Amino acid sequence: MYRFRQGAVQARSQQDLKRLRQDQWRQALESKRREELQRWLQQDSVTSIDRLDPQVSLWIEQLQALAAGAIPLRDIDEGCRCVLKELKLDLDPTELHRTLVTNGAADPHQLPAMQGSRWSSGFSTEQLQEAENLLNASQSSQPGDERRIDLCHLHCVTIDDSETRDIDDALSLERKPDGSKRIWIHIADPGRLIQPGSTLDQEAAARGSSLYLARGNQPMFPDVLSTGPFSLRAGHKSAAWSTWVELNEEGAIAAYGITRSWVKPLYKLSYDDADELIDLAPPEEADLADLDQLLRRRKLWRERNGALLMDLPEGRIRCRDGDLSLEITEPSVSRLMVAEAMILTGAVTAQYGVDHGLPLPYRSQLPADLPSPAQLSELPDGAVRFAAIKRCLSRGLMGTKPASHFSLGLPAYVQATSPIRRYCDLIVQRQIQAHQAGSPQLSEEELQELVGSVDLATREGIGISREDQRHWQQVWFEHHRDQQWQADFLRWLRPQDRLGLIRIDALALDLAAECPPGSEPGDQLQLHVLEVDPIRDQLRLQAH
């Protein structure tokens, strides 16, 4: 009611009293809201956000964005920050995320790395409209169509997982009049519709690649294109880049060619279908068996040139419609055949670049000092021996000049078989197209700058995919925490912490686990779950 000023007591004006009462009311309301947020964060039972003070609900939305990495702590309202500091949640996003999950305010399977990334918000309205426009234009003639070679007469098939819809490669066999055989590998040509610098092209470059996650795929291009006119669909005339190869008796490349084409796949085969056709080799469908023999010859050539063949079953956790499952991919005959065909395409593409002095994003790997044959022979064949080899290998390199790839046994190599899923593969197609058309190509410096930026995006995607699989492994082991598995000790990761790398053959997984001191490669161990908490990103496996 009064204030002391200049040595005298004065009565406050009505305006001053009104302002003071408003300040006191605001402070009381702020305090009440902080208490309500604190109670909500500390509660054991879930209270709906809709029943909270609207400002508290907004604070919780800020906390959701903070835990997901979408906004920094400094962007949080001061009142909310004070509560976080008091509860010691301001410096621990993982614990904050766990609290939000417990209170039903966060998806327990939402990856923090995914939030705020290119994939979290999908495609914009403008990008989806551009995709629809390209879909409509796909039936019309496009520049360069008249120069494509029509290969629709070839017996062309695609081989992929049964659920795959973005099909970017197909195989054919041409039997020449002199009795020799020519391998054809057809690769999708999204560049027929996607123009450099367009909205969708920029988005694809920013993504770098498609993501393959446990709960579904995040494509580099909108589905309407990647599973539509870009895809080599059975029964549809499709634009492609076709590579033909003739091998000599040793499996070396005797002749090759790369051309834009039209192809029309007859069948969409699953790997199981292809395995059966290769095994039975019926007279009316003998092409796959002959292709398999040719590509086996090629693999032997690579092996003689130092290639390391380390094919093992691979386990992957999937979650479809809420159903958790472990899917094991076996290195079947057809999978190995298709993989060899893709490696052959990369070798031919690199040879084209070398022959024409064309800058391309060459993939290389430095030679490694491997264990001696005597040392390897002492280890069990398979995962244990492969682990000893892999630890000696250096990381792959990428540059604009050709260089050898040690583990592939190739003098030069370029990835060029997944332009729907990898942006660098689209860059390769554009470089070759410009060269064949006599148009300006990217210089080494321009290519290096472009590929470098795309590689950063690709590595971000790889990190998200690994984080996703690690999370779902934790969820899977949480569901099977009472089980035990037989495992093989592969090698030590941190012996001082008793942390080793083990392989569970029944799950086809290589994992880190606490192992007995003195464990040696090949030792058989029993593995169990010691601790698992997917929300806190924790999984401790113990072997004995």
Side-chain angles (χ1 to χ4, degrees), residues 149-204:
I149 297 176
D150 193 336
L151 299 175
C152 292
H153 63 281
L154 291 177
H155 188 280
C156 177
V157 298
T158 67
I159 306 173
D160 224 311
D161 290 305
S162 56
E163 68 175 26
T164 301
R165 296 169 58 229
D166 52 342
I167 302 171
D168 50 18
D169 59 81
L171 299 176
S172 300
L173 181 67
E174 180 184 359
R175 302 176 190 276
K176 301 179 70 179
D178 61 2
S180 62
K181 300 180 181 70
R182 174 177 285 182
I183 302 170
W184 284 93
I185 304 123
H186 314 286
I187 305 300
D189 183 8
R192 175 177 181 261
L193 296 174
I194 294 290
Q195 296 301 311
S198 65
T199 301
L200 283 178
D201 183 65
Q202 293 180 43
E203 180 65 21

Side-chain angles (χ1 to χ4, degrees), residues 89 162 196 208 215 223 284 346 367 404 537:
L89 293 174
S162 56
R215 290 200 285 187
D223 273 335
E284 66 276 13
S404 63
D537 190 19

Side-chain angles (χ1 to χ4, degrees), residues 274-308:
D275 286 337
E276 187 173 351
L277 287 173
I278 292 171
D279 182 42
L280 298 177
E284 66 276 13
E285 292 288 349
D287 286 0
L288 284 186
D290 287 347
L291 278 169
D292 179 55
Q293 290 302 315
L294 287 169
L295 291 165
R296 283 175 186 266
R297 185 195 304 173
R298 174 62 180 175
K299 182 184 289 187
L300 287 174
W301 179 89
R302 287 198 303 113
E303 194 171 11
R304 288 193 295 270
N305 283 273
L308 304 175

Side-chain angles (χ1 to χ4, degrees), residues 114 117-125 127-128 203 207 218-219:
M114 190 75 168
S117 69
R118 307 293 302 204
W119 296 274
S120 61
S121 56
F123 293 97
S124 69
T125 302
Q127 290 162 353
L128 292 176
E203 180 65 21
R207 295 184 178 217
Q218 297 287 330

Side-chain angles (χ1 to χ4, degrees), residues 88-389:
K88 296 182 172 55
L89 293 174
D90 55 329
L91 300 177
D92 192 350
T94 301
E95 187 63 24
L96 174 60
H97 176 66
R98 186 199 66 79
T99 301
L100 294 175
V101 169
T102 301
N103 290 356
D107 180 356
H109 307 304
Q110 181 63 58
L111 300 178
M114 190 75 168
Q115 291 298 319
S117 69
R118 307 293 302 204
W119 296 274
S120 61
S121 56
F123 293 97
S124 69
T125 302
E126 179 187 1
Q127 290 162 353
L128 292 176
Q129 183 58 57
E130 182 179 337
E132 285 293 334
N133 295 340
L134 293 179
L135 178 63
N136 295 330
S138 64
Q139 300 302 316
S140 305
S141 178
Q142 299 296 317
D145 281 355
E146 71 283 354
R147 293 191 294 274
R148 292 181 184 272
I149 297 176
D150 193 336
L151 299 175
C152 292
H153 63 281
L154 291 177
H155 188 280
C156 177
V157 298
T158 67
I159 306 173
D160 224 311
D161 290 305
S162 56
E163 68 175 26
T164 301
R165 296 169 58 229
D166 52 342
I167 302 171
D168 50 18
D169 59 81
L171 299 176
S172 300
L173 181 67
E174 180 184 359
R175 302 176 190 276
K176 301 179 70 179
D178 61 2
S180 62
K181 300 180 181 70
R182 174 177 285 182
I183 302 170
W184 284 93
I185 304 123
H186 314 286
I187 305 300
D189 183 8
R192 175 177 181 261
L193 296 174
I194 294 290
Q195 296 301 311
S198 65
T199 301
L200 283 178
D201 183 65
Q202 293 180 43
E203 180 65 21
R207 295 184 178 217
S209 66
S210 298
L211 289 187
Y212 294 88
L213 308 178
R215 290 200 285 187
N217 302 335
Q218 297 287 330
M220 188 173 75
F221 291 111
D223 273 335
V224 69
L225 295 175
S226 61
T227 65
F230 290 178
S231 186
L232 303 183
R233 297 169 291 168
H236 291 262
K237 184 179 179 180
S238 302
W241 278 92
S242 294
T243 297
W244 63 265
V245 191
E246 295 174 5
L247 302 177
N248 64 18
E249 290 301 318
E250 298 298 317
I253 298 170
Y256 74 87
I258 302 176
T259 184
R260 296 184 98 181
S261 64
W262 294 110
V263 297
K264 190 175 184 180
L266 295 175
Y267 309 119
K268 177 183 183 293
L269 300 177
S270 68
Y271 286 108
D272 288 340
D273 296 333
D275 286 337
E276 187 173 351
L277 287 173
I278 292 171
D279 182 42
L280 298 177
E284 66 276 13
E285 292 288 349
D287 286 0
L288 284 186
D290 287 347
L291 278 169
D292 179 55
Q293 290 302 315
L294 287 169
L295 291 165
R296 283 175 186 266
R297 185 195 304 173
R298 174 62 180 175
K299 182 184 289 187
L300 287 174
W301 179 89
R302 287 198 303 113
E303 194 171 11
R304 288 193 295 270
N305 283 273
L308 304 175
L309 308 181
M310 297 182 287
D311 300 307
L312 286 174
E314 294 183 4
R316 182 175 178 82
I317 310 298
R318 303 286 293 274
C319 183
R320 293 292 188 265
D321 300 323
D323 293 331
L324 199 64
S325 65
L326 171 70
E327 293 187 1
I328 297 179
T329 301
E330 298 284 349
S332 68
V333 172
S334 62
R335 283 186 186 274
L336 294 177
M337 180 188 73
V338 171
E340 192 63 36
M342 300 304 105
I343 295 172
L344 177 58
T345 305
V348 168
T349 305
Q351 188 62 51
Y352 183 96
V354 171
D355 291 344
H356 298 282
L358 181 64
L360 293 173
Y362 293 95
R363 304 269 174 175
S364 62
Q365 186 183 45
L366 296 174
D369 185 13
L370 301 179
S372 68
Q375 291 172 317
L376 290 176
S377 67
E378 295 177 356
L379 300 174
D381 194 13
V384 177
R385 190 176 297 177
F386 295 164
I389 295 173

Side-chain angles (χ1 to χ4, degrees), residues 508-523:
L509 292 174
D510 293 353
L511 299 164
E514 296 179 15
C515 299
S519 294
E520 295 289 340
D523 286 353

